[in-house]
Amino acid sequence: MSMHDTLTPPGAGQGFMTGYLDALALVERLHRLLLDVIKDEFERVGVLEINAVQALLLFNIGDNEVTAGELKSRGYYQGSNVSYNLKKLVEMGYMHHQRCEIDRRSVRVRLTQKGREIRDIIAGLFGRHADGLQGKGVLGTDGIDQIATSLRRVERYWSDQIRYIY
């Protein structure tokens, strides 16, 4: 009996299970690759004091004012220490922080001008990627829509599994 045999649940075809495992590995590799692409862009433009995870935090916060809890509840950064990264970004001047008037335990953060500059670098990088993917015929609108729809379905399925377990 091979390892794949033990990984195939009852009722799942061997081909589907193999495809699912390949897709999981691909999502993981793509995330690491995204962080490397951001790191390379920062080296190119001379931004050396923040890392790619912190840059994604700045990008995703954008013009919003949020709490660490809100970032976690949106599903971002589960694998990273959000509170630590927010604290470092405040210390380095990329974010403002202020205690929430209603809940004094909660801290709200928003980008400073320095933080918005990083967000703009990432937005420019992602814009060039979108243009390149489309312009070189790697993906069209239909292809990117299919990918996003499929990934949202997996996200919903996994979220339902977590809710069902707990």
Side-chain angles (χ1 to χ4, degrees):
M1 201 181 226
S2 76
M3 184 174 160
H4 269 297
D5 292 336
T6 61
L7 291 175
T8 304
Q14 184 67 35
F16 186 85
M17 181 63 174
T18 300
Y20 179 62
L21 294 174
D22 288 346
L24 292 177
L26 182 58
V27 167
E28 214 177 330
R29 282 195 314 271
L30 284 171
H31 179 68
R32 284 194 305 270
L33 203 53
L34 173 63
L35 297 177
D36 287 344
V37 166
I38 292 169
K39 181 178 172 264
D40 286 352
E41 178 70 1
F42 280 176
E43 288 173 2
R44 188 182 72 75
V45 298
V47 173
L48 304 174
E49 72 178 346
I50 70 169
N51 64 41
V53 170
Q54 292 166 338
L56 280 173
L57 264 168
L58 295 173
F59 178 78
N60 285 311
I61 290 169
D63 291 328
N64 301 311
E65 187 175 288
V66 297
T67 66
E70 288 170 330
L71 288 170
K72 288 178 187 174
S73 71
R74 290 182 195 173
Y76 299 125
Y77 323 109
Q78 297 299 342
S80 68
N81 186 332
V82 176
S83 298
Y84 170 81
N85 281 316
L86 290 176
K87 181 179 178 220
K88 295 303 285 180
L89 289 166
V90 168
E91 288 172 2
M92 292 185 289
Y94 290 98
M95 299 177 109
H96 294 292
H97 75 292
Q98 179 178 6
R99 289 245 172 251
C100 184
E101 293 296 321
I102 297 163
D103 180 358
R104 301 298 291 163
R105 295 166 298 170
S106 182
V107 175
R108 299 196 67 75
V109 294
R110 65 182 169 21
L111 303 187
T112 62
Q113 179 57 39
K114 190 175 173 183
R116 287 190 297 276
E117 289 168 8
I118 296 298
R119 182 214 40 213
D120 292 347
I121 290 170
I122 300 298
L125 175 67
F126 291 167
R128 289 192 308 277
H129 288 170
D131 290 345
L133 286 166
Q134 196 168 28
K136 293 182 178 175
V138 176
L139 273 177
T141 304
D142 288 347
I144 201 72
D145 288 346
Q146 285 180 325
I147 290 170
T149 298
S150 296
L151 290 173
R152 277 190 205 96
R153 287 178 179 164
V154 172
E155 178 184 36
R156 235 182 341 263
Y157 177 78
W158 286 351
S159 293
D160 290 347
Q161 295 304 301
I162 293 167
R163 283 189 205 105
Y164 180 73
I165 292 169
Y166 301 105

